[in-house]
Amino acid sequence: ETGVTQTPRHLVMGMTNKKSLKCEQHLGHNAMYWYKQSAKKPLELMFVYSLEERVENNSVPSRFSPECPNSSHLFLHLHTLQPEDSALYLCASSHPNGLAGGPNTGELFFGEGSRLTVL
Amino acid sequence: ILNVEQSPQSLHVQEGDSTNFTCSFPSSNFYALHWYRWETAKSPEALFVMTLNGDEKKKGRISATLNTKEGYSYLYIKGSQPEDSATYLCASSRYGGSQGNLIFGKGTKLSVKP
């Protein structure tokens, strides 16, 4: 139990559906992240939020839309996805290191992931 | 190198064997090196975060070393147990990199047979 909870754990959706992934942390962290893991690829950073502001968007297509309403919650809204978007989506949180925009020495606390299948 | 490379990709050992894995990372503008342990169907869990050249950290039977000048880190497991079976990820961050932008390797998958 890492203190980071993701729902749903599994999601199957069609290419025209709209769905959302949810992440919640009760660790008092104020930085939250979305990572993507595709088969046989390393974890790829998608988005970073620090103090509820997006500080990183790693060239992610607009069909993925993040939302951070407060420092404990992070959403990833999904719309008109493609089959190649099928992957494990991991949420993480941490204490940001120093000023926003600095590199990260703080360990990441991950959720268990949401396994997404796009048909 | 620009990416984080881990070797071997997978490893099968017997209970009681000691083992080690390698992580290679960009040495220029190095800031921090992270090791994570990821068991199947669970979340990745941090083992170590290291920043100083020559640093060595230990947690029980697991230890890690860091060489920032040549850009590599070793993870050692002494007397492997079946519960050590997991994928071990390393990740590095660099000065000039943005917050949270850890670059991950593909991991080393360890299987320990009883």
Side-chain angles (χ1 to χ4, degrees), chain A residues 2 9 31 33 35 37 40 42-43 45 48 50 56 88 90 96-97 100-108 110-111, chain B residues 31-32 34 36 38 41-46 49 51 89 93-106:
Chain A
T2 62
R9 294 291 309 278
Y33 313 79
Y35 279 87
Q37 185 173 45
K40 299 192 189 298
L43 280 173
L45 180 66
V48 182
S50 176
E56 179 86 13
L88 181 70
L90 283 165
N97 176 48
N104 196 342
T105 57
E107 64 188 80
L108 295 178
F110 285 93
Chain B
Y31 193 79
H34 296 220
Y36 291 86
W38 194 1
K42 294 189 177 180
S43 52
E45 186 180 335
V49 178
T51 57
L89 302 174
S93 60
R94 308 171 73 188
Y95 281 104
S98 57
Q99 177 172 325
N101 204 350
L102 285 172
I103 308 299
F104 279 84
K106 290 183 181 180

Side-chain angles (χ1 to χ4, degrees), chain A residues 2-17:
Chain A
T2 62
V4 180
T5 304
Q6 288 187 243
T7 54
R9 294 291 309 278
H10 299 273
L11 179 62
V12 179
M13 60 187 287
M15 289 191 283
T16 57
N17 291 160

Side-chain angles (χ1 to χ4, degrees), chain B residues 23-102:
Chain B
C23 173
S24 301
F25 54 87
S27 55
S28 61
N29 300 318
F30 169 82
Y31 193 79
L33 191 284
H34 296 220
W35 280 101
Y36 291 86
R37 180 170 175 272
W38 194 1
E39 287 184 70
T40 303
K42 294 189 177 180
S43 52
E45 186 180 335
L47 288 172
F48 307 111
V49 178
M50 297 186 286
T51 57
L52 299 176
N53 184 44
D55 207 3
E56 183 170 342
K57 294 206 171 181
K58 190 174 180 181
K59 187 183 280 189
R61 294 178 291 99
I62 305 177
S63 60
T65 61
L66 180 65
N67 182 321
T68 62
K69 295 185 188 306
E70 295 180 42
Y72 64 83
S73 175
Y74 294 133
L75 187 79
Y76 299 92
I77 302 179
K78 186 178 177 182
S80 303
Q81 300 296 307
E83 58 265 29
D84 295 328
S85 298
T87 297
Y88 291 83
L89 302 174
C90 81
S92 76
S93 60
R94 308 171 73 188
Y95 281 104
S98 57
Q99 177 172 325
N101 204 350
L102 285 172

Side-chain angles (χ1 to χ4, degrees), chain A residues 13 18 39 70 73 83 92 112:
Chain A
M13 60 187 287
K18 282 186 185 181
N70 55 63
H73 294 86
E112 292 180 330

Side-chain angles (χ1 to χ4, degrees), chain A residues 6 8-12 21 35-44 46 64 76 78 81-90 112-118, chain B residues 38:
Chain A
Q6 288 187 243
R9 294 291 309 278
H10 299 273
L11 179 62
V12 179
L21 306 180
Y35 279 87
K36 174 185 178 183
Q37 185 173 45
S38 307
K40 299 192 189 298
K41 287 189 176 181
L43 280 173
E44 298 172 72
M46 298 176 74
F64 294 91
L76 188 63
L78 315 170
L81 295 191
Q82 306 297 310
E84 60 264 29
D85 296 322
S86 299
L88 181 70
Y89 290 85
L90 283 165
E112 292 180 330
S114 294
R115 172 72 61 185
L116 173 66
T117 303
V118 182
Chain B
W38 194 1

